[in-house]
Amino acid sequence: MHDVFESRFVVFVSATILGIFSFQVRSAPPAVSDQTLAAGLGASHATVSIGPDMEFMAGGGAVGDFDNDGDQDFFFLGGSASVDRLYINDGAGNFVDMGAAWGIDRTHQGTGVAVGDYDNDGDLDVFVTSLGPPDNRQPGANILWSNTGNGTFIDVTAQAGVSTTNPKTADAYGAAFGDYDLDGDLDLAVAGWFGGGKIFQNNNDGTFTDVTLTAIDADMTKIRSFAPRFVDMNGDRYPELLWVADFYTSRYFVNNADGTFTDQTLSSGTGLDSNGMGNTFGDYNNDGVFDWYVSSRITHDGTNGSGNMLYMGTGVDHVFVESSVATGTNAGYWGWGVVSVDMNHDGALDILETNGFNGAFSNDPSMLFLNDGTGNFTDVAAECGMVDNGQGRGLINADFDRDGDQDIIVLNNRQPMVYYRNDLLGSDTNSITLVFDTSAMDDLAPNGFGTRVLIDSASHTQIRYLDGGTSYLAQSELSVHVGIGNDPQAQVAIQWANGDVDVFPAVLPGNYTISALACPADLTLDGALNLFDISAFLTLFADGHPQGDITGEGLYNFFDISAFLQAYASGCP
């Protein structure tokens, strides 16, 4: 199976290289509309202090299907003068705040949020970084909320051992879950602005161990960090640790596949951002190699600050070329949150960025860098209806109304949030969205963390990776989303984090849950074969789901039914 995946990857890269030299026409920008109040959102972040203190850099939140009903809910940090809120989605993109009912409506100096099923019980949990109670900054205030699965969260921070990053002062900002040791559970990275960056290894018993000193060959106390994330940048399945930080201290840590990381910032050609804040990645020129984007400040006259950095992968493992000026992404004002998403479904990843600070930067607009398909960008935010001049901090993308395109939430500091609905119409909605169920496989982290996907359609060859990482204080939807333009279907090759590969030759546009199967016929993932599995197959078959195409020929016919019955009769190992 590894050889199959590698051969398909060679074809993918070859087709992409040829495409780079073809004539490119800029696709039309998407149209978005402000639906904040109509959707039941609009709460404001508010703080006790109004000065340029630590909370001035806050404004976080995250999305996730917290009630397991198939749509994206939204957890929002209200700040020290407000309350945290849990917005439950009705399935159509309308929200009701259930924070009090779920027991997660705390008032504190919350900064960032990471979401992941840390205890592998099937429900998304929430980790919150915090600077302390409303009127007193103090260390040890981070919170791990365990989702009980019955409409409540409970605070399990003390027993989990993740309350503190810096024992001397509260400094925690961004955090990210990820399975860096590929043992099937989620570990945790937490950023600290005063040098409190930590790596917590999951013990698979509800607790974590601080392994920072043994796992990383760098002095984390000197790294002024904001945003970490675990991403496999070279395709060996072991995720690197991309650590975005202030004052030229961003780091590129290579995973050694033995539980440790090596600092290769200098040799990788990264770490050039003067004030790294936001953290995102993607294959922006569709050459089969991941690139890394870091938001950073630059003055309006361009004389102070590095501006945003775009580290383009060269195809040599862990070697990048900084290309922000050449690609049109360098000048982004005072950058914070960033996300990579194909907003107009043309088969190229776009980049969105929030901006703002005090003084001359108070009215800096958010930006939507539209990709022309070759990795060159033009800001079209105003043109598409995204007119946001708030104090942007966190940034989130998710398909809240389940119409196939990605919507955007901007989280503003000491100001109301803004929800921009993506209003693509007609053929522009040609996209494939995949969420993953890995519950049947003990060696896979929950929800598909660490899954790599190759998408090959008539006009596009693309690569995606599900990491669940933080951008800046905020986490987006746990899915793989890809636009395929006017192409009617795509071949989708999935490489799970354990190395297994599934190939689906003819996937139609739509939203799909893909299950990692320990047994081919056990579609209910309960370890037993019965009538429920037969019913599940018939549903997949009738719906044209990729996993209903048992023969992998791109058709749904008698041969698929026969293949399923044969697998069912063979039983599970």
Side-chain angles (χ1 to χ4, degrees), residues 126-165:
V126 176
F127 179 76
V128 179
T129 52
S130 177
L131 304 175
D135 55 359
N136 180 26
R137 187 157 64 90
Q138 63 184 39
N142 300 330
I143 311 163
L144 179 59
W145 292 108
S146 177
N147 190 339
T148 66
N150 62 5
T152 59
F153 283 92
I154 57 175
D155 184 344
V156 297
T157 316
Q159 53 266 48
V162 292
S163 65
T164 306
T165 49

Side-chain angles (χ1 to χ4, degrees), residues 401-420:
D401 52 4
R402 303 186 71 181
D403 64 351
D405 54 39
Q406 293 284 299
D407 311 303
I408 300 295
I409 290 181
V410 179
L411 301 172
N412 292 309
N413 178 269
R414 296 169 179 162
Q415 295 172 348
M417 71 179 86
V418 184
Y419 166 44
Y420 290 104

Side-chain angles (χ1 to χ4, degrees), residues 14 99 108 166 172 198 227 236 259 297 356 371 428 453 480 500 503 515 571:
S14 301
H108 61 117
N166 190 331
K198 294 288 186 182
D236 69 351
R297 73 175 177 88
N371 191 338
D428 291 333
V453 184
V480 163
D500 292 345
V503 178
S515 300

Side-chain angles (χ1 to χ4, degrees), residues 84-363:
D84 296 346
R85 303 171 188 268
L86 178 64
Y87 290 100
I88 298 298
N89 192 338
D90 69 353
N94 303 301
F95 298 89
V96 175
D97 178 15
M98 298 295 290
W102 284 55
I104 200 170
D105 58 333
R106 186 169 295 186
T107 297
H108 61 117
Q109 298 180 62
T111 50
V113 184
V115 169
D117 181 8
Y118 86 96
D119 52 4
N120 276 318
D121 67 351
D123 302 297
L124 286 177
D125 309 301
V126 176
F127 179 76
V128 179
T129 52
S130 177
L131 304 175
D135 55 359
N136 180 26
R137 187 157 64 90
Q138 63 184 39
N142 300 330
I143 311 163
L144 179 59
W145 292 108
S146 177
N147 190 339
T148 66
N150 62 5
T152 59
F153 283 92
I154 57 175
D155 184 344
V156 297
T157 316
Q159 53 266 48
V162 292
S163 65
T164 306
T165 49
N166 190 331
K168 297 180 180 180
T169 184
D171 72 342
Y173 279 92
F177 285 108
D179 184 10
Y180 75 84
D181 49 8
L182 300 189
D183 64 352
D185 52 37
L186 292 177
D187 311 300
L188 179 65
V190 187
W193 194 56
F194 284 116
K198 294 288 186 182
I199 303 295
F200 294 101
Q201 186 178 46
N202 195 326
N203 299 320
N204 198 26
D205 60 1
T207 69
F208 292 81
T209 298
D210 179 358
V211 296
T212 311
L213 294 179
T214 57
I216 297 181
D217 70 337
D219 184 357
M220 297 299 288
T221 65
K222 296 181 179 180
I223 298 176
R224 303 291 296 272
S225 53
F226 280 128
R229 63 193 307 162
F230 295 99
V231 183
D232 174 17
M233 296 294 284
N234 69 334
D236 69 351
R237 298 186 292 112
Y238 285 87
E240 275 58 63
L241 185 48
L242 309 183
W243 202 282
V244 169
D246 216 343
F247 308 121
Y248 289 103
T249 63
S250 290
R251 293 292 183 266
Y252 184 89
F253 294 117
V254 172
N255 194 325
N256 299 316
D258 61 1
T260 68
F261 296 87
T262 297
D263 183 355
Q264 292 190 17
T265 308
L266 183 62
S267 63
S268 69
T270 63
L272 305 176
D273 37 285
S274 62
N275 303 92
M277 298 168 184
N279 188 349
T280 189
F281 74 99
D283 181 9
Y284 301 114
N285 56 358
N286 282 345
D287 65 351
V289 180
F290 281 135
D291 315 304
W292 183 24
Y293 183 86
V294 178
S295 67
S296 183
R297 73 175 177 88
I298 190 170
T299 53
H300 291 164
D301 61 6
T303 61
N304 192 0
S306 68
N308 306 317
M309 295 284 100
L310 179 53
Y311 305 110
M312 300 296 291
T314 63
V316 177
D317 281 2
H318 313 305
V319 177
F320 301 83
V321 174
E322 203 292 301
S323 307
S324 60
V325 173
T327 58
T329 56
N330 178 254
Y333 306 108
W334 199 296
W336 301 92
V338 285
V339 294
S340 300
V341 59
D342 186 354
M343 288 292 290
N344 58 351
H345 294 170
D346 65 349
L349 278 175
D350 310 306
I351 298 173
L352 293 91
E353 174 184 325
T354 64
N355 291 288
F357 201 66
N358 55 1
F361 299 91
S362 294
N363 295 312

